[in-house]
Amino acid sequence: MKPKVLNLLLLLSFQIGYLEWGANQHQFIFEAQSEIIFKAFENLMGVLHPFTVLPFLGECLLVLTLFQKNTNRKLMITGALLLGFFMFALFLIGLASLKIKIIISVLPFWIIFYLIWKNKTQS
């Protein structure tokens, strides 16, 4: 499979990560990201945290690789790893709290991550 397709699929699978906390509190990553972006315009320092900044940088790197003529594998892997840190934490939270929705929501990301990791072709 082409690296650009895998990058796009990885970005999309990251967005469907499911967050659940407290009593009746839940949202997908794409919902949380939109809230973070709007809050950043009001108070940038209030949204700066490793769990917000690192995935954002990973997304930026993967989007950058979508517009490159020849996909840079190092940028692709770095972006995937930055997203992977957050998804790994989310997976651990799902396991620790036995929340099946969280666990299932991260599986597509890890499958695509594996395909990116094993894909040695450039283009």
Side-chain angles (χ1 to χ4, degrees), residues 41-57:
F41 287 115
E42 297 170 11
N43 179 12
L44 180 61
M45 296 307 289
V47 297
L48 292 180
H49 186 277
F51 277 128
T52 59
V53 174
L54 293 177
F56 178 72
L57 290 174

Side-chain angles (χ1 to χ4, degrees), residues 1-79:
M1 192 174 289
K2 293 194 177 238
K4 290 182 189 225
V5 173
L6 289 172
N7 283 353
L8 184 60
L9 290 173
L10 191 70
L11 284 167
L12 293 174
S13 67
F14 177 74
Q15 297 300 315
I16 62 168
Y18 187 73
L19 308 163
E20 188 174 335
W21 66 98
N24 216 11
Q25 298 285 331
H26 54 87
Q27 55 185 185
F28 289 98
I29 289 176
F30 70 88
E31 294 171 314
Q33 278 186 322
S34 65
E35 283 183 29
I36 290 168
I37 290 169
F38 288 122
K39 287 180 183 178
F41 287 115
E42 297 170 11
N43 179 12
L44 180 61
M45 296 307 289
V47 297
L48 292 180
H49 186 277
F51 277 128
T52 59
V53 174
L54 293 177
F56 178 72
L57 290 174
E59 286 179 307
C60 290
L61 289 176
L62 288 176
V63 168
L64 177 68
T65 63
L66 291 174
F67 294 104
Q68 292 178 327
K69 184 175 180 171
N70 293 320
T71 305
N72 184 327
R73 181 165 168 75
K74 288 181 184 178
L75 285 179
M76 187 170 72
I77 294 296
T78 303

Side-chain angles (χ1 to χ4, degrees), residues 1 6-7 9-10 13 73 76-77 80-81 84 87 106-121:
M1 192 174 289
L6 289 172
N7 283 353
L9 290 173
L10 191 70
S13 67
R73 181 165 168 75
M76 187 170 72
I77 294 296
L81 286 171
M87 293 302 266
V106 301
L107 292 179
F109 175 87
W110 288 112
I111 292 168
I112 297 165
F113 182 91
Y114 175 78
L115 294 174
I116 286 175
W117 191 265
K118 291 299 178 186
N119 188 8
K120 301 291 186 205
T121 62

